[in-house]
Amino acid sequence: MTTVNLPSELAQAVSAIQPCSKRWHNIALGHLDQLTKPQGSLGRLEEIAARMVAIQESSRPSCDRKAVYVFAGDHGVVAEGVSAYPQEVTVQMVLNFLNGGAAVNVLARAVGASVVVVDVGVAGDFAPAPGLVQAKVRKGTRNFLHEPAMSRDELHAAIHTGVRLAHQAVEEGTKILAIGEMGIGNTTSASAICTAITQADPEKVTGTGTGVANDARRHKVDVVRRAVALHARELADPFALLGCLGGYEIAAMTGMVLGAAARRIAVVIDGFISTSAAAVAQLMAPDCRDYMLAGHVSQEPGHRILLDHMGLDPLLDLNMRLGEGSGAVLAFSIVEAAVRVYNEMATFASAGVSTKAQ
Amino acid sequence: MTTVNLPSELAQAVSAIQPCSKRWHNIALGHLDQLTKPQGSLGRLEEIAARMVAIQESSRPSCDRKAVYVFAGDHGVVAEGVSAYPQEVTVQMVLNFLNGGAAVNVLARAVGASVVVVDVGVAGDFAPAPGLVQAKVRKGTRNFLHEPAMSRDELHAAIHTGVRLAHQAVEEGTKILAIGEMGIGNTTSASAICTAITQADPEKVTGTGTGVANDARRHKVDVVRRAVALHARELADPFALLGCLGGYEIAAMTGMVLGAAARRIAVVIDGFISTSAAAVAQLMAPDCRDYMLAGHVSQEPGHRILLDHMGLDPLLDLNMRLGEGSGAVLAFSIVEAAVRVYNEMATFASAGVSTKAQ
């Protein structure tokens, strides 16, 4: 862990992170074994319920207020032709989020979660709008095939936005967060981060993103390989790694994970890109893993590699590869089910049900 | 397929089953490709949405009214000591369902589904209660280690109950069903059915059920092996197979799957036991598979074997092994998400989003 030249509020966020409560976790396991079901028979629902109890340090865990933060930013590396879609789609999709027409909006409505869209680096301008946080650092990162994606000040500004929004969400009573993103070109950034962190071969890590053809994917692999080689000397420090290879939306998600862990609130990770952000947060503060739930595993090959490296087991596996927070929001329904089971099921004693023959 | 000596209403249910609409499935795929996301990027949500459109033959699929039917019955084979819990737990859990304290009740409330409890063969008596359907065939099956679990008349009565309730649910406006069960001893019955259908080794098929210890599991494997051998000559006919090795609640679930397919309504299958019922339905009428969604894969080893044999891919894999319909009801939230995506997402044209560069 390194905190070289960190602004004090970032250093404070990182140093505030503690593991979640073992004592509360044990209390939760004891309660779960009293409920009218064979011990452990609700599988991962029990695991998630116990984690929520340990995170919230409450015998009545809650995910009544849920919010997904969709961070948007553009990427200089699109100049290399790494995406199937033109860069203008980032702007267009932000407007789609604000109008409620994207997948993440629909899925959020289905589970009663609010959607907050955060412009941290889109290459375009937006009028103020309800649900939009304007925190643009710059109109897109630099092309990391030639230079660091962002300066250290820009990096800190983007991380700080995520930390600040996590704090604000907690103040507003939010009980669980999800992170998602939009940014044409950002699977290339996530592939480079994954390669740098796991040392896996870019060929195995790099997928088709929004759907590049096979030749274009080979080119993308080559871009990732060259970028990681160019910045090799910087990559031992997670802050420098993020500054060289990340995006503004990725850095902001790293900040939100740090902020969530510092404020002891669960954060559901989405796909490959948000997981790359969470992986950097875990390097900065290993205990923040206690507050992360992996919502799903996507079709991007690097996602499973990164989750395994982090020791996270995804809740859903539905061949999704959209981003936006879509998989994380879908997983909210699993977390909510787990919490309700914990709070609402009858016990053997209260229901007069015989326990297992000893 | 055989219909030997079938009562006319069962023969009618079986013969009414047709594949779901290919034409509507293609219409659905066309619509999904217009929505603001890379083609196919919502993975199995798109698959499920298309299936719901094809089943309902509607451009606005719905799962507004959801119901889980929990069929309860006891099993003569418990005399062999195959379960970790005493038989009285079946009665106690039915009362727990009626009081709203069981896992399936909690999960159903979370997704807005109604719970109907059906006594098809519990070894105990119940006073009339809201949410309870009294359709008891007999107080528990016979011990299938020595004789067929039920007579042909009893089998038909139990199947008919499931068919009838599916019809009634459709009349009441239900758009999607889930099947679940409660019956101490019924993983032994499901293991025997799975062995008979897939020809897999009982050692690989038979699990710990509600949690028998290792010696008891070995005994359970032996019971399954001997039961399948005893009835070997009957097992080519799916009706005879079900009568020899099934339970009243399993036969009723088979009926509900047949009834759902005949009335063109989707039915979400739960764990190992409800899947064994669905597998028998598929033998009776192969096209009913079009109407089945596998809610999850449980920890019972036979469940995956059976799903693979049937060609079903489960939506969730959360290490659950409770039954009751708990996994199916949890999967309702995925199906609902799929349907809402289909109905509510913006199109590229309506949102002014650029499509993929060609």
Side-chain angles (χ1 to χ4, degrees):
Chain A
M1 191 170 102
T2 174
T3 52
V4 186
N5 293 329
L6 275 192
S8 63
E9 73 269 28
L10 287 191
Q12 201 181 343
V14 169
S15 66
I17 295 168
Q18 303 287 328
C20 68
S21 168
K22 282 214 178 70
R23 188 172 76 82
W24 279 97
H25 195 262
N26 285 332
I27 290 170
L29 296 180
H31 176 70
L32 287 162
D33 284 349
Q34 301 302 312
L35 303 179
T36 47
K37 57 170 183 53
Q39 289 188 8
S41 61
L42 283 174
R44 297 204 63 196
L45 292 188
E46 300 193 33
E47 170 204 325
I48 299 297
R51 183 92 75 84
M52 291 295 285
V53 168
I55 289 173
Q56 298 186 357
E57 301 193 345
S58 164
S59 56
R60 200 164 174 86
S62 164
C63 49
D64 281 351
R65 289 192 69 165
K66 299 177 275 287
V68 55
Y69 283 75
V70 187
F71 295 91
D74 275 304
H75 289 258
V77 75
V78 296
E80 304 302 325
V82 289
S83 178
Y85 284 79
Q87 187 173 64
E88 71 217 37
V89 167
T90 306
V91 168
Q92 293 164 347
M93 284 302 296
V94 166
L95 296 173
N96 197 16
F97 298 143
L98 295 173
N99 288 328
V104 69
N105 302 104
V106 175
L107 296 171
R109 283 197 293 272
V111 295
S114 56
V115 178
V116 181
V117 185
V118 189
D119 172 14
V120 252
V122 179
D125 297 302
F126 300 103
L132 174 66
V133 175
Q134 308 235 30
K136 197 192 302 286
V137 176
R138 186 172 183 270
K139 288 188 173 177
T141 55
R142 294 166 187 83
N143 182 348
F144 62 61
L145 189 58
H146 303 302
E147 60 184 319
M150 58 191 98
S151 72
R152 193 155 275 251
D153 283 351
E154 290 165 5
L155 170 69
H156 291 160
I159 298 178
H160 179 67
T161 290
V163 173
R164 174 174 67 80
L165 290 172
H167 283 260
Q168 193 179 315
V170 172
E171 301 302 333
E172 290 166 359
T174 305
K175 299 297 186 188
I176 186 165
L177 293 170
I179 52 173
E181 45 54 50
M182 177 69 217
I184 294 298
N186 66 8
T187 59
T188 303
S189 182
S191 299
I193 292 170
C194 177
T195 298
I197 290 179
T198 67
Q199 312 286 322
D201 189 324
E203 174 62 38
K204 293 198 173 143
V205 159
T206 309
T208 55
T210 50
V212 291
N214 215 14
D215 280 356
R217 195 196 71 89
R218 275 193 293 272
H219 172 60
K220 187 174 162 186
V221 170
D222 184 56
V223 168
V224 169
R225 194 185 304 278
R226 285 157 57 203
V228 172
L230 175 71
H231 301 288
R233 268 179 293 185
E234 306 292 329
L235 303 181
D237 169 4
F239 287 91
L241 183 160
L242 193 54
C244 287
L245 302 175
Y248 299 122
E249 81 284 31
I250 295 177
M253 289 190 289
T254 299
M256 180 155 272
V257 170
L258 294 172
R263 293 300 298 265
R264 298 176 169 272
I265 178 177
V267 55
V268 185
I269 313 304
D270 185 38
F272 185 36
I273 298 138
S274 69
T275 303
S276 77
V280 176
Q282 189 174 327
L283 287 175
M284 294 171 177
D287 288 332
C288 70
R289 203 193 63 172
D290 280 11
Y291 302 86
M292 296 179 197
L293 302 171
H296 80 128
V297 57
S298 82
Q299 282 190 302
E300 279 288 301
H303 193 197
R304 174 70 76 178
I305 292 169
L306 203 49
L307 289 170
D308 287 349
H309 185 84
M310 297 168 73
L312 293 176
D313 191 5
L315 286 168
L316 300 172
D317 182 0
L318 294 168
N319 294 334
M320 293 165 67
R321 54 178 171 86
L322 178 59
E324 301 181 359
S326 55
V329 169
L330 198 55
F332 270 159
S333 56
I334 306 295
V335 181
E336 175 132 46
V339 163
R340 291 188 68 150
V341 156
Y342 191 88
N343 290 332
E344 298 178 25
M345 266 184 78
T347 63
F348 283 103
S350 72
V353 174
S354 305
T355 54
K356 190 170 165 180
Q358 295 305 315
Chain B
M1 190 169 103
T2 175
T3 51
V4 185
N5 294 328
L6 277 191
S8 63
E9 74 268 26
L10 288 191
Q12 201 180 343
V14 168
S15 66
I17 295 168
Q18 302 288 328
C20 68
S21 167
K22 282 213 178 73
R23 189 172 75 84
W24 278 97
H25 195 262
N26 285 332
I27 291 170
L29 297 180
H31 176 70
L32 286 163
D33 284 349
Q34 301 303 312
L35 303 179
T36 48
K37 55 171 184 53
Q39 289 188 8
S41 62
L42 282 174
R44 298 204 63 197
L45 293 188
E46 300 192 33
E47 170 203 325
I48 299 298
R51 184 93 75 84
M52 290 295 285
V53 168
I55 289 174
Q56 298 185 359
E57 301 192 345
S58 164
S59 57
R60 202 166 172 85
S62 164
C63 49
D64 282 351
R65 290 192 69 166
K66 298 177 276 286
V68 56
Y69 283 75
V70 187
F71 295 91
D74 275 305
H75 289 259
V77 74
V78 296
E80 304 301 325
V82 290
S83 178
Y85 284 79
Q87 187 173 63
E88 71 218 36
V89 168
T90 307
V91 168
Q92 294 164 347
M93 284 301 296
V94 166
L95 296 173
N96 197 18
F97 298 143
L98 295 173
N99 288 327
V104 70
N105 302 103
V106 175
L107 296 170
R109 283 197 294 271
V111 295
S114 57
V115 178
V116 181
V117 185
V118 189
D119 172 14
V120 251
V122 179
D125 297 303
F126 300 103
L132 174 66
V133 174
Q134 308 235 31
K136 198 193 301 284
V137 176
R138 187 170 181 270
K139 289 189 173 176
T141 54
R142 295 167 186 81
N143 182 349
F144 63 60
L145 189 58
H146 302 303
E147 60 185 319
M150 58 191 99
S151 71
R152 194 155 274 250
D153 282 351
E154 290 165 6
L155 170 69
H156 291 160
I159 298 177
H160 179 67
T161 290
V163 173
R164 175 173 66 82
L165 290 172
H167 283 258
Q168 192 178 316
V170 171
E171 301 301 334
E172 290 166 0
T174 305
K175 298 296 186 189
I176 185 165
L177 293 171
I179 51 172
E181 45 55 49
M182 176 69 217
I184 294 298
N186 67 8
T187 59
T188 303
S189 181
S191 298
I193 291 170
C194 178
T195 298
I197 291 179
T198 66
Q199 312 287 323
D201 189 324
E203 173 63 36
K204 292 195 173 145
V205 159
T206 309
T208 55
T210 51
V212 292
N214 215 14
D215 281 356
R217 195 196 70 89
R218 276 194 290 273
H219 172 61
K220 188 174 160 186
V221 170
D222 185 56
V223 168
V224 169
R225 195 184 303 279
R226 285 157 57 205
V228 172
L230 174 71
H231 301 289
R233 269 179 291 184
E234 306 293 328
L235 303 180
D237 170 4
F239 287 91
L241 184 161
L242 192 55
C244 287
L245 301 174
Y248 298 122
E249 82 284 30
I250 295 176
M253 289 190 289
T254 299
M256 180 155 272
V257 170
L258 294 172
R263 294 299 297 265
R264 297 175 169 273
I265 177 176
V267 55
V268 185
I269 313 302
D270 185 37
F272 185 35
I273 298 138
S274 69
T275 304
S276 76
V280 175
Q282 189 174 327
L283 287 176
M284 293 171 178
D287 288 332
C288 69
R289 203 191 64 172
D290 280 11
Y291 301 87
M292 296 179 197
L293 302 170
H296 80 128
V297 57
S298 83
Q299 282 191 302
E300 279 288 302
H303 194 196
R304 175 70 75 177
I305 293 169
L306 203 48
L307 289 170
D308 286 349
H309 185 85
M310 296 168 73
L312 292 177
D313 191 5
L315 286 168
L316 301 172
D317 182 2
L318 294 167
N319 293 334
M320 292 165 67
R321 53 178 170 86
L322 178 59
E324 301 180 0
S326 54
V329 169
L330 197 56
F332 270 158
S333 55
I334 307 296
V335 180
E336 175 132 44
V339 163
R340 291 188 68 150
V341 157
Y342 191 89
N343 290 331
E344 297 177 27
M345 266 183 79
T347 62
F348 283 103
S350 72
V353 174
S354 305
T355 55
K356 191 170 166 180
Q358 294 305 316

